[in-house]
Amino acid sequence: MRLTILSLLKERELCVCEIVEIMNTSQPNVSQHMRKLKDGGLVKEAKKGQWVYYSLNIDDKPYLHVLFQYLLSQKEKVDIISCEQLDCCD
């Protein structure tokens, strides 16, 4: 689950609601995984209103760039979903 989330974030910054939709899981479940990834220093968050947006935080971790080369692309999944489409982050 966490590797898939990292792979999604490799494509672009995502809101919690977008990750929930793509992963087809609950918001509390995603939030728990995001907390672990954030605690591990792999993601950073930015609050925009009441919503939290996540992005990768691996610039200072060059050893992870090799791992990301092997993660399957999630570009198609990320490209078809947006907060505007979900009407969740306005």
Side-chain angles (χ1 to χ4, degrees):
M1 183 90 154
R2 292 183 194 136
L3 280 175
T4 302
I5 292 171
L6 290 173
S7 186
L8 291 168
L9 293 174
K10 182 175 97 169
E11 303 301 333
R12 70 174 168 89
E13 176 184 71
L14 293 169
C15 175
V16 170
C17 65
E18 293 172 309
I19 298 169
V20 165
E21 184 69 22
I22 292 168
M23 300 294 291
N24 195 29
T25 189
S26 68
Q27 185 272 329
N29 187 25
V30 168
S31 292
Q32 282 189 353
H33 287 293
M34 297 313 295
R35 187 175 318 111
K36 294 285 188 183
L37 292 169
K38 187 179 163 198
D39 290 347
L42 298 174
V43 299
K44 55 188 171 186
E45 65 180 31
K47 281 200 129 196
K48 297 178 185 175
Q50 69 179 15
W51 295 99
V52 177
Y53 289 80
Y54 291 97
S55 58
L56 289 178
N57 185 31
I58 61 166
D59 290 341
D60 62 338
K61 300 166 187 71
Y63 51 91
L64 289 178
H65 293 271
V66 174
L67 168 71
F68 277 83
Q69 292 175 358
Y70 293 99
L71 292 179
L72 293 175
S73 173
Q74 301 291 325
K75 186 166 178 44
E76 289 179 12
K77 291 180 182 177
V78 170
D79 285 348
I80 62 170
I81 204 84
S82 70
C83 290
E84 293 81 26
Q85 175 191 7
L86 296 172
D87 195 31
C88 62
C89 300
D90 296 332

